[in-house]
Amino acid sequence: QQQVKQSPQSLIVQKGGISIINCAYENTAFDYFPWYQQFPGKGPALLIAIRPDVSEKKEGRFTISFNKSAKQFSLHIMDSQPGDSATYFCAARGAGGTSYGKLTFGQGTILTVHP
Amino acid sequence: DGGITQSPKYLFRKEGQNVTLSCEQNLNHDAMYWYRQDPGQGLRLIYYSQIVNDFQKGDIAEGYSVSREKKESFPLTVTSAQKNPTAFYLCASSIWSRTGKSGYTFGSGTRLTVV
């Protein structure tokens, strides 16, 4: 079974600080790596995503860094705000076979940004 | 507005009872998915369907059943065989594009509680 491991499980950051969430995957049969943000009682929403031929993607305060050789990718939230407090999930999309098109999710990180 | 509608938002099930969770989308997406979310365990795939009248088991299909008679609808039945059904259930649909935005769109979820 393909796996995506996410850390840390929870993260507390002061307002204005940098939040960093890490993910690692175990095989190379993935072709798309999205991050989702989920607020309590709501469904996850796509935040930012990257393809494996790119090492970094930035959208506003959110940046994905991707290290293909290490099979790792991370989400950086610059100038973290209390409104960023949510659960974040990394994911990886299957590139072929029975896993084609399916997302495998990490375990989630609960981010709390203190004012 | 296009989106995914899950109903009901809250559902209470008695022991030994089957219940059905509704999921409807008007995004014209071909693929639909059901996930279960438990604290600290991320999102686990129950069933998915890539086309009408076809569906496959995910990682935790035991005790659940689905149908896909229409492109827009993908209801999930939690049967009495599911021994620990209390969880937050999320429905999603997907579209994949090499040039446009890709990924899953999630509904707002149904919280099922056994009473």
Side-chain angles (χ1 to χ4, degrees), chain A:
Chain A
Q1 181 179 347
Q2 301 178 11
Q3 288 190 7
V4 177
K5 296 183 179 179
Q6 183 173 345
S7 63
Q9 194 169 13
S10 62
L11 180 62
I12 298 175
V13 174
Q14 293 296 317
K15 179 182 176 181
I18 302 173
S19 304
I20 301 174
I21 304 171
N22 301 298
C23 285
Y25 57 99
E26 297 186 339
N27 64 55
T28 57
F30 296 125
D31 66 352
Y32 181 76
F33 299 86
W35 284 87
Y36 286 82
Q37 179 188 55
Q38 183 184 30
F39 293 105
K42 303 294 184 182
L46 179 64
L47 184 63
I48 187 173
I50 196 168
R51 298 185 189 278
D53 54 345
V54 176
S55 61
E56 185 175 285
K57 184 174 182 180
K58 183 176 181 179
E59 290 185 359
R61 296 184 293 109
F62 301 92
T63 300
I64 301 177
S65 297
F66 188 83
N67 185 330
K68 190 173 182 178
S69 61
K71 299 179 188 176
Q72 295 175 345
F73 57 110
S74 59
L75 175 69
H76 296 234
I77 305 175
M78 311 299 287
D79 187 25
S80 298
Q81 299 297 313
D84 296 331
S85 298
T87 300
Y88 292 81
F89 292 96
C90 63
R93 184 181 74 170
T98 57
S99 298
Y100 179 74
K102 286 193 302 181
L103 289 181
T104 300
F105 287 88
Q107 294 83 354
T109 296
I110 301 173
L111 172 65
T112 302
V113 181
H114 286 316

Side-chain angles (χ1 to χ4, degrees), chain A residues 1 9 31-32 34 36 38-47 49 51 53 59 87 89 93 98-108, chain B residues 9 33 35 37 39-43 45 48 50 57-59 88 90 94-109 111:
Chain A
Q1 181 179 347
Q9 194 169 13
D31 66 352
Y32 181 76
Y36 286 82
Q38 183 184 30
F39 293 105
K42 303 294 184 182
L46 179 64
L47 184 63
R51 298 185 189 278
D53 54 345
E59 290 185 359
T87 300
F89 292 96
R93 184 181 74 170
T98 57
S99 298
Y100 179 74
K102 286 193 302 181
L103 289 181
T104 300
F105 287 88
Q107 294 83 354
Chain B
K9 190 172 179 62
Y33 311 81
Y35 284 87
Q37 185 175 12
Q41 296 197 51
L43 303 175
L45 182 64
Y48 66 102
Q50 294 179 317
K57 294 181 178 180
D59 302 318
F88 190 51
L90 287 160
S94 70
I95 186 168
W96 300 107
S97 168
R98 289 197 60 82
T99 56
K101 199 165 188 178
S102 297
Y104 284 18
T105 299
F106 283 89
S108 295
R111 186 163 297 281

Side-chain angles (χ1 to χ4, degrees), chain B residues 42-107:
Chain B
L43 303 175
R44 293 184 291 167
L45 182 64
I46 303 173
Y47 268 98
Y48 66 102
S49 168
Q50 294 179 317
I51 56 172
V52 175
N53 293 321
D54 187 43
F55 49 83
Q56 285 78 40
K57 294 181 178 180
D59 302 318
I60 56 165
E62 185 175 351
Y64 300 96
S65 66
V66 294
S67 63
R68 187 84 187 278
E69 297 177 0
K70 298 186 301 181
K71 187 175 184 178
E72 302 79 17
S73 179
F74 191 40
L76 173 74
T77 297
V78 184
T79 75
S80 57
Q82 171 50 241
K83 298 306 178 187
N84 185 23
T86 295
F88 190 51
Y89 290 87
L90 287 160
C91 179
S93 66
S94 70
I95 186 168
W96 300 107
S97 168
R98 289 197 60 82
T99 56
K101 199 165 188 178
S102 297
Y104 284 18
T105 299
F106 283 89

